[in-house]
Amino acid sequence: MTTVSFCPSSATPDSTANAAEGFADVLVGLQYGDEGKAKIIDTLAPGYDVIARFNGGANAGHTIDTPQGRIALKQLPSGVFHPHAALYIGSGCAINPWKLADEIVQLRQMGISLEGRLRISARAALVQPHHIAMDRRGSDTIGTTGNGIGPCYADRALRVRNDTRVNLMLGDLLGNEAETVASMREVFTRMINAEGGASPWVAEMSDLLLGLPDIARMLRAYLEPDRGWLTHRVKAGAKVLFEGAQSVLLDVVDGSQPYVTSSHTVPAYAYVGGDLSPKYHRRTIGVAKAIMSRVGRGPFPSELGGERSAQYCHEASQSKLGEREEQSRFSPHTLLRSSDPFDVGTALRMLTGEYGTGTGRPRRIGMLDLAQLRDVIRTHAVDCVYLNKVDCLTHYTRSTYQGVPVRVHREALTADVMPDVLIYPGLTEHSVDLGRAGTLDSAMNGFIDFVERHIGAPLAGLGLGPERASLVSLANRQPALVAAGLPHG
């Protein structure tokens, strides 16, 4: 089904001095990540000239299902399957050169060329071997992916350690390869010596350093030394879609410390990490999913099973227990009928494939939290929302809930008061099937109205399955917005 973007714009008609100039929209996840942002980017990409990343690194894991196959992009923008679109990775990102090179090779094998399309800011931070080793050593406390992103950003702020510069950028590697590799080796060697030389990652990190010259040669073609590259494009009329990695509830400042990612994930940061003036901002697009999930540790108010679920998923991650093991040990349909929310959460994880894209670790599962969404939307002035995995809500009809449990209030809660949860009835597989075919029945329309009323923003589309065609536009429910002349995506 063809989708239409109808998000209301937060910009005034004359907010841009030159009508020939372009604009930028920002798309972010509104929950704890894994909301299906890549699918929305992939759908909206035809309406933009540049798809840009502004934060994060190889800890992203944006999965796209396309006619060419499925791919999990970790650092490249999600517009790779749209040849007309330029791709930009801004200075706010942390580049893991080894994984980026692997990603480029993987796309080549799928017949996708990035030559002449991909530009990477020379000021993007460079992940180094000692960052990866440090992250793996301390990842258990927070629940990071161990890709070195946090230590990389920390070194960006630290700048110098033991009289050696540690805030290296991609431009340093490609501009002075020998000196940069030598600096990386020196910092890593000092770290190992300080630990008594007993690091289990010495051989692996040494191999990374040995392979770096070949990788540098591959990446050199994509380096962009001009900090104004994106600005020049927009001034010439280009339309930009910024793609956020992770999600706003994991922002390094705004999130629940210390269980956050290591970069700024809020939409306002797009213009810092994406190297563009905020005067070009037009609208903010949010993405959420109806079956909520979270990886790693940290607060999760709507979690099914509460602390038991959090502890189970943590231990499963440590013991490398993933989807295959759960499928062999449990019957999801039996667990779904349990009166224990922990069992229901486990069943939903199995039935909806909620496992880490890069790690395979089980995700903690929660009910749809409209109260939390409302707060995020207000805080960041989100103009519209795409809600994914709505089809998965029908699993609840076979549970003891006999409807969709939804958290709608969060005020004045204490340890002795449960969150205010409503059970939304009537959302069936028949309604979902009709929606995929282009018809919204009364149950689906009622659900949409219910969600919009509680979050205070219009829904732009519903994800009724993983495929492109299953993203259903709701533009026909918002005729005033379409009549206002808002651009189509």
Side-chain angles (χ1 to χ4, degrees), residues 299-333:
F300 190 178
S302 69
E303 185 168 10
L304 291 164
E307 182 56 36
R308 283 175 60 206
S309 169
Q311 186 61 32
Y312 168 83
C313 289
H314 174 68
E315 292 175 356
S317 176
Q318 297 304 298
S319 61
K320 309 299 183 184
L321 186 152
E323 182 174 12
R324 181 180 301 176
E325 290 77 14
E326 287 200 331
Q327 293 288 354
S328 66
R329 291 172 56 184
F330 307 123
S331 165
H333 299 289

Short mmCIF file of all heavy atoms in Angstrom, two decimals, residues 299-333:
data_model
loop_
_atom_site.label_atom_id
_atom_site.label_comp_id
_atom_site.label_asym_id
_atom_site.label_seq_id
_atom_site.Cartn_x
_atom_site.Cartn_y
_atom_site.Cartn_z
N PRO A 299 14.86 1.68 34.10
CA PRO A 299 13.42 1.73 34.37
C PRO A 299 12.59 1.38 33.15
O PRO A 299 12.96 1.71 32.02
CB PRO A 299 13.20 3.20 34.77
CG PRO A 299 14.53 3.72 35.17
CD PRO A 299 15.53 2.98 34.34
N PHE A 300 11.48 0.71 33.40
CA PHE A 300 10.55 0.33 32.33
C PHE A 300 9.18 0.20 32.99
O PHE A 300 8.76 -0.89 33.36
CB PHE A 300 11.00 -0.98 31.70
CG PHE A 300 10.28 -1.38 30.43
CD1 PHE A 300 10.64 -2.55 29.76
CD2 PHE A 300 9.25 -0.62 29.90
CE1 PHE A 300 10.00 -2.95 28.60
CE2 PHE A 300 8.61 -0.99 28.74
CZ PHE A 300 8.98 -2.16 28.09
N PRO A 301 8.45 1.31 33.16
CA PRO A 301 7.22 1.32 33.98
C PRO A 301 6.15 0.33 33.54
O PRO A 301 5.42 -0.19 34.38
CB PRO A 301 6.72 2.77 33.83
CG PRO A 301 7.93 3.56 33.51
CD PRO A 301 8.80 2.66 32.69
N SER A 302 6.03 0.05 32.24
CA SER A 302 4.94 -0.82 31.78
C SER A 302 5.39 -2.26 31.56
O SER A 302 4.66 -3.05 30.95
CB SER A 302 4.34 -0.27 30.48
OG SER A 302 5.25 -0.40 29.41
N GLU A 303 6.55 -2.64 32.07
CA GLU A 303 7.11 -3.96 31.81
C GLU A 303 6.22 -5.07 32.35
O GLU A 303 5.80 -5.05 33.52
CB GLU A 303 8.50 -4.07 32.42
CG GLU A 303 9.21 -5.38 32.11
CD GLU A 303 10.69 -5.33 32.48
OE1 GLU A 303 11.11 -4.36 33.14
OE2 GLU A 303 11.41 -6.27 32.09
N LEU A 304 5.94 -6.04 31.52
CA LEU A 304 5.16 -7.21 31.93
C LEU A 304 6.07 -8.14 32.73
O LEU A 304 7.03 -8.69 32.20
CB LEU A 304 4.60 -7.93 30.71
CG LEU A 304 3.50 -7.17 29.95
CD1 LEU A 304 3.27 -7.77 28.57
CD2 LEU A 304 2.20 -7.17 30.74
N GLY A 305 5.75 -8.31 33.99
CA GLY A 305 6.61 -9.13 34.85
C GLY A 305 7.54 -8.31 35.70
O GLY A 305 8.24 -8.87 36.57
N GLY A 306 7.62 -7.01 35.47
CA GLY A 306 8.40 -6.12 36.32
C GLY A 306 9.84 -6.55 36.50
O GLY A 306 10.53 -6.93 35.55
N GLU A 307 10.31 -6.53 37.73
CA GLU A 307 11.70 -6.83 38.05
C GLU A 307 12.07 -8.26 37.67
O GLU A 307 13.22 -8.53 37.29
CB GLU A 307 11.97 -6.58 39.53
CG GLU A 307 13.42 -6.81 39.95
CD GLU A 307 14.41 -5.98 39.14
OE1 GLU A 307 14.09 -4.84 38.79
OE2 GLU A 307 15.51 -6.50 38.84
N ARG A 308 11.14 -9.20 37.77
CA ARG A 308 11.43 -10.58 37.37
C ARG A 308 11.83 -10.63 35.90
O ARG A 308 12.78 -11.32 35.52
CB ARG A 308 10.21 -11.47 37.58
CG ARG A 308 9.96 -11.87 39.03
CD ARG A 308 8.67 -12.66 39.11
NE ARG A 308 8.71 -13.87 38.30
CZ ARG A 308 7.62 -14.46 37.78
NH1 ARG A 308 6.43 -13.93 37.99
NH2 ARG A 308 7.74 -15.56 37.08
N SER A 309 11.11 -9.90 35.07
CA SER A 309 11.42 -9.86 33.65
C SER A 309 12.79 -9.23 33.41
O SER A 309 13.59 -9.74 32.61
CB SER A 309 10.34 -9.08 32.90
OG SER A 309 10.72 -8.81 31.57
N ALA A 310 13.05 -8.12 34.09
CA ALA A 310 14.33 -7.43 33.92
C ALA A 310 15.49 -8.35 34.29
O ALA A 310 16.50 -8.42 33.58
CB ALA A 310 14.35 -6.15 34.75
N GLN A 311 15.36 -9.06 35.40
CA GLN A 311 16.42 -9.94 35.87
C GLN A 311 16.59 -11.13 34.93
O GLN A 311 17.72 -11.53 34.61
CB GLN A 311 16.13 -10.42 37.29
CG GLN A 311 17.26 -11.23 37.92
CD GLN A 311 18.55 -10.43 38.05
OE1 GLN A 311 18.52 -9.21 38.25
NE2 GLN A 311 19.68 -11.11 37.96
N TYR A 312 15.48 -11.69 34.49
CA TYR A 312 15.54 -12.84 33.57
C TYR A 312 16.26 -12.46 32.29
O TYR A 312 17.15 -13.19 31.80
CB TYR A 312 14.13 -13.33 33.25
CG TYR A 312 14.09 -14.32 32.10
CD1 TYR A 312 14.36 -15.67 32.31
CD2 TYR A 312 13.81 -13.90 30.80
CE1 TYR A 312 14.34 -16.57 31.25
CE2 TYR A 312 13.78 -14.79 29.75
CZ TYR A 312 14.05 -16.13 29.98
OH TYR A 312 14.04 -17.01 28.92
N CYS A 313 15.89 -11.31 31.71
CA CYS A 313 16.51 -10.90 30.44
C CYS A 313 17.99 -10.58 30.63
O CYS A 313 18.80 -10.85 29.73
CB CYS A 313 15.76 -9.70 29.85
SG CYS A 313 14.11 -10.12 29.22
N HIS A 314 18.33 -10.03 31.77
CA HIS A 314 19.75 -9.74 32.05
C HIS A 314 20.55 -11.04 32.13
O HIS A 314 21.61 -11.17 31.51
CB HIS A 314 19.88 -8.97 33.35
CG HIS A 314 21.29 -8.77 33.79
ND1 HIS A 314 22.18 -7.96 33.11
CD2 HIS A 314 21.99 -9.30 34.83
CE1 HIS A 314 23.36 -7.99 33.71
NE2 HIS A 314 23.27 -8.80 34.75
N GLU A 315 20.03 -12.00 32.86
CA GLU A 315 20.74 -13.28 33.00
C GLU A 315 20.78 -14.02 31.67
O GLU A 315 21.79 -14.68 31.35
CB GLU A 315 20.06 -14.13 34.08
CG GLU A 315 20.20 -13.54 35.48
CD GLU A 315 19.42 -14.32 36.52
OE1 GLU A 315 18.69 -15.26 36.13
OE2 GLU A 315 19.51 -13.97 37.72
N ALA A 316 19.70 -13.93 30.89
CA ALA A 316 19.68 -14.58 29.58
C ALA A 316 20.74 -13.98 28.66
O ALA A 316 21.40 -14.69 27.90
CB ALA A 316 18.31 -14.46 28.95
N SER A 317 20.90 -12.67 28.76
CA SER A 317 21.91 -12.00 27.95
C SER A 317 23.31 -12.45 28.34
O SER A 317 24.17 -12.69 27.48
CB SER A 317 21.79 -10.47 28.11
OG SER A 317 22.81 -9.81 27.41
N GLN A 318 23.54 -12.59 29.65
CA GLN A 318 24.85 -13.01 30.12
C GLN A 318 25.18 -14.45 29.71
O GLN A 318 26.32 -14.77 29.41
CB GLN A 318 24.91 -12.89 31.64
CG GLN A 318 24.76 -11.47 32.17
CD GLN A 318 25.79 -10.53 31.58
OE1 GLN A 318 26.98 -10.71 31.76
NE2 GLN A 318 25.31 -9.53 30.86
N SER A 319 24.17 -15.29 29.69
CA SER A 319 24.39 -16.70 29.36
C SER A 319 24.18 -17.01 27.88
O SER A 319 24.17 -18.18 27.48
CB SER A 319 23.46 -17.58 30.20
OG SER A 319 22.10 -17.26 29.92
N LYS A 320 23.98 -15.94 27.07
CA LYS A 320 23.79 -16.08 25.62
C LYS A 320 22.54 -16.88 25.27
O LYS A 320 22.48 -17.58 24.25
CB LYS A 320 25.02 -16.75 24.97
CG LYS A 320 26.35 -16.12 25.33
CD LYS A 320 26.43 -14.68 24.90
CE LYS A 320 27.80 -14.08 25.21
NZ LYS A 320 27.86 -12.63 24.87
N LEU A 321 21.54 -16.80 26.12
CA LEU A 321 20.27 -17.47 25.85
C LEU A 321 19.43 -16.53 24.99
O LEU A 321 19.13 -15.41 25.40
CB LEU A 321 19.55 -17.80 27.15
CG LEU A 321 18.26 -18.62 27.08
CD1 LEU A 321 18.08 -19.42 28.37
CD2 LEU A 321 17.03 -17.73 26.86
N GLY A 322 19.06 -16.99 23.80
CA GLY A 322 18.33 -16.13 22.88
C GLY A 322 17.07 -16.78 22.34
O GLY A 322 16.46 -17.65 22.99
N GLU A 323 16.71 -16.40 21.14
CA GLU A 323 15.44 -16.84 20.55
C GLU A 323 15.38 -18.35 20.39
O GLU A 323 14.37 -18.98 20.73
CB GLU A 323 15.25 -16.16 19.19
CG GLU A 323 13.94 -16.52 18.52
CD GLU A 323 13.71 -15.72 17.25
OE1 GLU A 323 14.66 -15.06 16.78
OE2 GLU A 323 12.58 -15.77 16.74
N ARG A 324 16.44 -18.94 19.90
CA ARG A 324 16.42 -20.39 19.65
C ARG A 324 16.19 -21.17 20.94
O ARG A 324 15.40 -22.12 20.98
CB ARG A 324 17.73 -20.83 19.00
CG ARG A 324 17.80 -22.31 18.68
CD ARG A 324 19.13 -22.67 18.03
NE ARG A 324 19.35 -21.91 16.81
CZ ARG A 324 20.48 -21.98 16.10
NH1 ARG A 324 21.47 -22.75 16.50
NH2 ARG A 324 20.61 -21.27 14.99
N GLU A 325 16.87 -20.73 22.00
CA GLU A 325 16.75 -21.43 23.28
C GLU A 325 15.35 -21.28 23.86
O GLU A 325 14.76 -22.24 24.39
CB GLU A 325 17.79 -20.91 24.26
CG GLU A 325 19.23 -21.31 23.93
CD GLU A 325 19.82 -20.48 22.79
OE1 GLU A 325 19.21 -19.43 22.43
OE2 GLU A 325 20.86 -20.88 22.26
N GLU A 326 14.79 -20.07 23.76
CA GLU A 326 13.44 -19.88 24.29
C GLU A 326 12.42 -20.69 23.50
O GLU A 326 11.48 -21.26 24.09
CB GLU A 326 13.08 -18.39 24.27
CG GLU A 326 13.79 -17.58 25.34
CD GLU A 326 13.11 -16.26 25.65
OE1 GLU A 326 12.45 -15.70 24.75
OE2 GLU A 326 13.24 -15.80 26.79
N GLN A 327 12.58 -20.74 22.20
CA GLN A 327 11.63 -21.51 21.39
C GLN A 327 11.68 -23.00 21.72
O GLN A 327 10.67 -23.70 21.63
CB GLN A 327 11.94 -21.29 19.89
CG GLN A 327 11.69 -19.88 19.39
CD GLN A 327 10.21 -19.53 19.28
OE1 GLN A 327 9.35 -20.37 19.46
NE2 GLN A 327 9.93 -18.27 18.99
N SER A 328 12.84 -23.47 22.12
CA SER A 328 12.96 -24.90 22.45
C SER A 328 12.47 -25.20 23.87
O SER A 328 12.09 -26.35 24.16
CB SER A 328 14.41 -25.35 22.30
OG SER A 328 15.25 -24.72 23.27
N ARG A 329 12.43 -24.21 24.72
CA ARG A 329 12.07 -24.43 26.13
C ARG A 329 10.62 -24.14 26.44
O ARG A 329 10.04 -24.74 27.36
CB ARG A 329 12.96 -23.57 27.03
CG ARG A 329 14.42 -23.98 27.07
CD ARG A 329 15.27 -22.97 27.81
NE ARG A 329 14.80 -22.73 29.17
CZ ARG A 329 15.35 -21.82 29.99
NH1 ARG A 329 16.38 -21.10 29.58
NH2 ARG A 329 14.88 -21.68 31.21
N PHE A 330 10.00 -23.21 25.70
CA PHE A 330 8.67 -22.73 26.08
C PHE A 330 7.67 -22.86 24.94
O PHE A 330 8.05 -22.86 23.76
CB PHE A 330 8.73 -21.25 26.49
CG PHE A 330 9.74 -20.93 27.55
CD1 PHE A 330 10.72 -19.98 27.33
CD2 PHE A 330 9.72 -21.58 28.78
CE1 PHE A 330 11.66 -19.67 28.29
CE2 PHE A 330 10.65 -21.29 29.76
CZ PHE A 330 11.62 -20.33 29.51
N SER A 331 6.41 -22.96 25.31
CA SER A 331 5.32 -22.88 24.34
C SER A 331 4.68 -21.50 24.50
O SER A 331 4.04 -21.21 25.52
CB SER A 331 4.26 -23.95 24.61
OG SER A 331 3.07 -23.65 23.91
N PRO A 332 4.85 -20.61 23.53
CA PRO A 332 4.31 -19.26 23.69
C PRO A 332 2.79 -19.23 23.85
O PRO A 332 2.26 -18.39 24.58
CB PRO A 332 4.77 -18.55 22.41
CG PRO A 332 5.04 -19.64 21.43
CD PRO A 332 5.53 -20.79 22.24
N HIS A 333 2.10 -20.13 23.18
CA HIS A 333 0.64 -20.12 23.26
C HIS A 333 0.16 -20.56 24.65
O HIS A 333 -0.87 -20.08 25.14
CB HIS A 333 0.05 -21.00 22.16
CG HIS A 333 0.41 -20.52 20.79
ND1 HIS A 333 -0.11 -19.37 20.24
CD2 HIS A 333 1.28 -21.03 19.86
CE1 HIS A 333 0.39 -19.20 19.02
NE2 HIS A 333 1.24 -20.19 18.77
#
